[in-house]
Amino acid sequence: MAYAVKDYKTEVWVDWCPGCGDFGILNAIHQALAALQLPPHRVAVFSGIGCSGKTPHYIGTYGVHTLHGRVLPVATGFKLANPEMTVIAVGGDGDGYGIGAGYFLAAGRRNVDLTYIVYNNGVYGLTKGQASPTLPKGVQTKSLPEPNLMEALNPIAVALGAGYTFIARGYAYDVRHLRDLIVAAIQHRGTALIDVLQPCPTYNNIYTREYYNARVYKLEETGYDPVVHNPADEKEIAEKKAQALLKAYENGDRIPIGIFYRVERPTLEDELATRLPHWGKALADLEPIYRRDLTPLLDELS
């Protein structure tokens, strides 16, 4: 059976603010799943709290709306228990880089085979526009009574230090390019981060669609090579991380999007199978979630 984009949509009304970048990200996820022809029952989408937390409601796969900042540990546990499933975690910059910062670091160190998409708009959109960890110091959006007092966190730089094996940045209004990034992230074996720049038309009047349209450019169009070709060569890894770090801090008149860094490393699942042979056997003896009859549970909840 061939799957179309509509097969990954639900009938739930999408109630984000008009012009929100979340729409572009959602469309890119729908298109990526269709491009990969992933059966909806073989995909699970997890979210934290915030405007982006509604995403699983709009995707016709398994979905879990978790707690503030806790999306990655929940998605990790699910993936380890159901390794055959494609797992996508989504969340906002406040959710992932603020209250969830510790989990963000731990996820990179573990390198579980999942994809993490962060909706980065510089503000806490659901709670009326407070400065998020990615809003630069001194910037005052229309939702702030005074300029932001704290330095901004650089997600790409932090991810490089934490050990993510696939690190990319997308732009919500370039849906085709973002779709391709999501496809590449899902196909990558390991923890993949996509930090997505997205305007918040309600609270952030600084980083608008016009602002980004005039500045973003694609790394792949400049001859930039993010791939570590010999994962056993620590020198090459250091060089690739160094070039990615320089690009991560490139801002102002030009803002790069695309894949910053990519390396093939053993996943946590690979390591567990080596150290705990019985772990793989125990999983094999379990019935995967997509084969289970969930009717009794659904009847109990209804």
Side-chain angles (χ1 to χ4, degrees), residues 2 29 36 52 75 93 98 105 113 144 186 197 238-239 276 290 301:
I29 294 173
L36 290 167
S52 60
D93 44 324
L105 293 174
D113 186 17
L144 298 179
I186 292 174
L197 303 174
E239 290 173 348
L276 304 170
Y290 60 85
L301 295 175

Side-chain angles (χ1 to χ4, degrees), residues 11-25:
E11 296 181 358
V12 179
W13 174 256
V14 182
D15 63 352
W16 290 317
C17 300
C20 178
D22 288 7
F23 287 98
I25 301 172

Side-chain angles (χ1 to χ4, degrees), residues 274-295:
T274 299
R275 295 194 181 187
L276 304 170
H278 63 278
W279 177 74
K281 182 179 184 305
L283 287 176
D285 291 340
L286 291 175
E287 187 176 13
I289 188 171
Y290 60 85
R291 294 180 188 161
R292 300 174 199 166
D293 181 9
L294 301 181
T295 305

Side-chain angles (χ1 to χ4, degrees), residues 223-273:
Y224 179 88
D225 180 12
V227 178
V228 175
H229 297 282
N230 182 6
D233 186 347
E234 293 297 331
K235 181 181 178 181
E236 183 187 3
I237 289 175
E239 290 173 348
K240 291 292 185 178
K241 285 190 174 183
Q243 74 164 4
L245 189 63
L246 289 174
K247 286 296 180 182
Y249 281 98
E250 185 176 322
N251 211 322
D253 293 336
R254 284 171 61 79
I255 301 174
I257 59 175
I259 301 174
F260 284 68
Y261 177 78
R262 184 172 188 170
V263 64
E264 297 296 331
R265 290 282 210 183
T267 64
L268 183 63
E269 297 93 315
D270 296 331
E271 302 287 4
L272 286 173

Side-chain angles (χ1 to χ4, degrees), residues 41 45 74 98 156 162 249 279 297:
H41 66 282
V45 180
V74 177
I156 305 298
Y249 281 98
W279 177 74
L297 175 61

Side-chain angles (χ1 to χ4, degrees), residues 86-150:
T86 295
V87 174
I88 301 171
V90 302
D93 44 324
D95 184 75
Y97 306 144
I99 190 172
Y103 300 114
F104 177 62
L105 293 174
R109 295 177 60 215
R110 291 190 182 102
N111 196 35
V112 173
D113 186 17
L114 59 81
T115 299
Y116 185 32
I117 304 172
V118 180
Y119 300 32
N120 184 353
N121 60 17
V123 295
Y124 285 87
L126 190 66
T127 52
K128 311 311 179 196
Q130 301 92 333
S132 86
T134 58
L135 189 72
K137 183 177 182 178
V139 171
Q140 182 180 3
T141 65
K142 64 181 180 180
S143 58
L144 298 179
E146 301 287 346
N148 182 31
L149 288 171
M150 293 185 285

Side-chain angles (χ1 to χ4, degrees), residues 12-236:
V12 179
W13 174 256
V14 182
D15 63 352
W16 290 317
C17 300
C20 178
D22 288 7
F23 287 98
I25 301 172
L26 176 64
N27 287 336
I29 294 173
H30 285 148
Q31 292 182 26
L33 295 176
L36 290 167
Q37 286 294 289
L38 294 173
H41 66 282
R42 299 291 297 273
V43 179
V45 180
F46 296 78
S47 71
I49 299 299
C51 299
S52 60
K54 302 175 182 179
T55 302
H57 302 266
Y58 309 140
I59 300 176
T61 62
Y62 284 101
V64 182
H65 196 157
T66 75
L67 302 176
H68 198 11
R70 274 70 175 178
V71 62
L72 285 173
V74 177
T76 295
F78 181 92
K79 178 64 178 182
L80 292 178
N82 297 274
E84 297 179 25
M85 297 286 287
T86 295
V87 174
I88 301 171
V90 302
D93 44 324
D95 184 75
Y97 306 144
I99 190 172
Y103 300 114
F104 177 62
L105 293 174
R109 295 177 60 215
R110 291 190 182 102
N111 196 35
V112 173
D113 186 17
L114 59 81
T115 299
Y116 185 32
I117 304 172
V118 180
Y119 300 32
N120 184 353
N121 60 17
V123 295
Y124 285 87
L126 190 66
T127 52
K128 311 311 179 196
Q130 301 92 333
S132 86
T134 58
L135 189 72
K137 183 177 182 178
V139 171
Q140 182 180 3
T141 65
K142 64 181 180 180
S143 58
L144 298 179
E146 301 287 346
N148 182 31
L149 288 171
M150 293 185 285
E151 294 289 346
L153 176 148
N154 188 312
I156 305 298
V158 174
L160 284 167
Y164 282 79
T165 52
F166 180 107
I167 303 171
R169 178 191 287 153
Y171 174 45
Y173 284 108
D174 192 337
V175 176
R176 290 184 180 180
H177 183 255
L178 181 56
R179 172 202 63 196
D180 293 342
L181 288 179
I182 296 173
V183 167
I186 292 174
Q187 290 177 328
H188 173 76
R189 288 194 76 250
T191 305
L193 168 71
I194 306 178
D195 182 72
V196 186
L197 303 174
Q198 59 145 132
C200 174
T202 302
Y203 296 115
N204 192 335
N205 60 322
I206 306 297
Y207 302 108
T208 63
R209 181 174 186 171
E210 291 72 26
Y211 175 92
Y212 284 124
N213 284 349
R215 290 168 172 81
V216 296
Y217 74 93
K218 299 179 178 65
L219 285 171
E220 59 268 28
E221 294 179 353
T222 67
Y224 179 88
D225 180 12
V227 178
V228 175
H229 297 282
N230 182 6
D233 186 347
E234 293 297 331
K235 181 181 178 181
E236 183 187 3

